[in-house]
């Protein structure tokens, strides 16, 4: 008998309800497996999270969080700090129930598809969407950008973050990650310890596993899709993939100082690192009505 067809969106929703947004240790969700939570990377990751604020209006009435998840990292709350309401839109009801706990009276929860937003045009003074559009087909990713743009008020901007399918920078420096992982394995064998890879297994240091359906894109696709339709800019969010971070940067090997250096390079070359690093920060701006 044929199985009923489950759409990608149903798969994704099911994954986040049943797995991704389940708390594992009372503090972190399963989804946090895809982040580097080690203290050596904390400062770098914290500063990258805060980059989002630079491109949003500092205050306003409604901020849209498209694919909010449970608002799992404290920095995410800063985006709506001076807004009256943060509208969290997500297909996962578990995500929204968790997000409610963190947003209190400021949070307005809406079960919605980011490719088909149930809001009127020009409704939001700002919008963010982090690590969500990559769960959509490319056709729907284009729609999600259009929808985000449609609901932005004139003069407002949105920040969209997703990983590229491939990062030339991570590819170029991949040998360092492989070398470090090799050394780590050798050391463990010599000490008679169980060898465990530094990161969850992935084919290349630029790969970011997500546990469910994803389609990544590249700068050429983004420029072709958004070009002529909206004002946008590709900047850096984080040039380092999680696998690369875990393999290369360690407390005892000056990891913190090295990451400060990396951050400085990203600040100096935001466009280059945005297009060539692992995670771009895409700013979409809607011109003010004249
Ligand atoms: C990787 S999580 C990111 C959550 C949050 N933005 C963050 O950075 O932690 C992706 C989120 O997008 C939601 N999502 C996936 N596809 C969606 C869609 N078509 N419409 C709305 N939300 C969606 C998932 O339910 C999940 O909560």
């Amino acid at each position: 008998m044929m199985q009923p067809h489950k759409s990608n969106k149903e798969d994704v929703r099911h994954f986040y309800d049943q797995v991704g947004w389940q708390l594992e240790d009372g503090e972190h969700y399963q989804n946090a497996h895809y982040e580097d939570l080690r203290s050596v990377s904390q400062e770098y990751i914290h500063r990258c999270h805060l980059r989002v604020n630079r491109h949003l209006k500092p205050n306003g009435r409604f901020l849209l969080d498209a694919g909010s998840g449970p608002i799992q990292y404290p920095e995410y709350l800063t985006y709506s700090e001076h807004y009256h309401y943060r509208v969290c839109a997500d297909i996962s009801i578990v995500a929204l129930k968790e997000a409610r706990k963190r947003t209190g009276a400021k949070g307005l929860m809406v079960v919605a598809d980011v490719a088909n937003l149930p809001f009127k045009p020009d409704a939001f003074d700002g919008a963010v969407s982090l690590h969500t559009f990559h769960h959509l087909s490319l056709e729907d990713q284009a729609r999600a950008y259009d929808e985000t743009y449609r609901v932005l008020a004139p003069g407002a901007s949105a920040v969209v973050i997703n990983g590229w399918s491939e990062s030339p920078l991570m590819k170029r420096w991949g040998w360092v990650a492989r070398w470090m992982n090799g050394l780590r394995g050798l050391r463990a064998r010599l000490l008679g310890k169980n060898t465990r890879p530094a990161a969850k297994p992935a084919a290349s240091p630029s790969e970011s596993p997500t546990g469910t359906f994803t389609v990544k894109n590249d700068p050429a696709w983004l420029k072709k899709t958004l070009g002529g339709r909206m004002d946008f800019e590709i900047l850096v969010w984080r040039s380092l993939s999680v696998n690369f971070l875990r393999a290369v940067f360690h407390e005892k090997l000056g990891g913190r100082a090295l990451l400060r250096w990396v951050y400085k390079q990203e600040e100096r070359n935001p466009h280059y690192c945005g297009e060539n690093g692992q995670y771009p920060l895409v700013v979409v701006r809607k011109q003010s009505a004249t």
Side-chain angles (χ1 to χ4, degrees), residues 173-194:
W173 292 98
W175 63 271
V176 182
R178 288 190 291 277
W179 194 72
M180 293 291 280
N181 277 338
L183 272 184
R184 192 170 175 270
L186 183 68
R187 181 173 176 273
R189 277 199 298 281
L190 288 175
L191 296 173
K193 289 187 186 160
N194 268 343

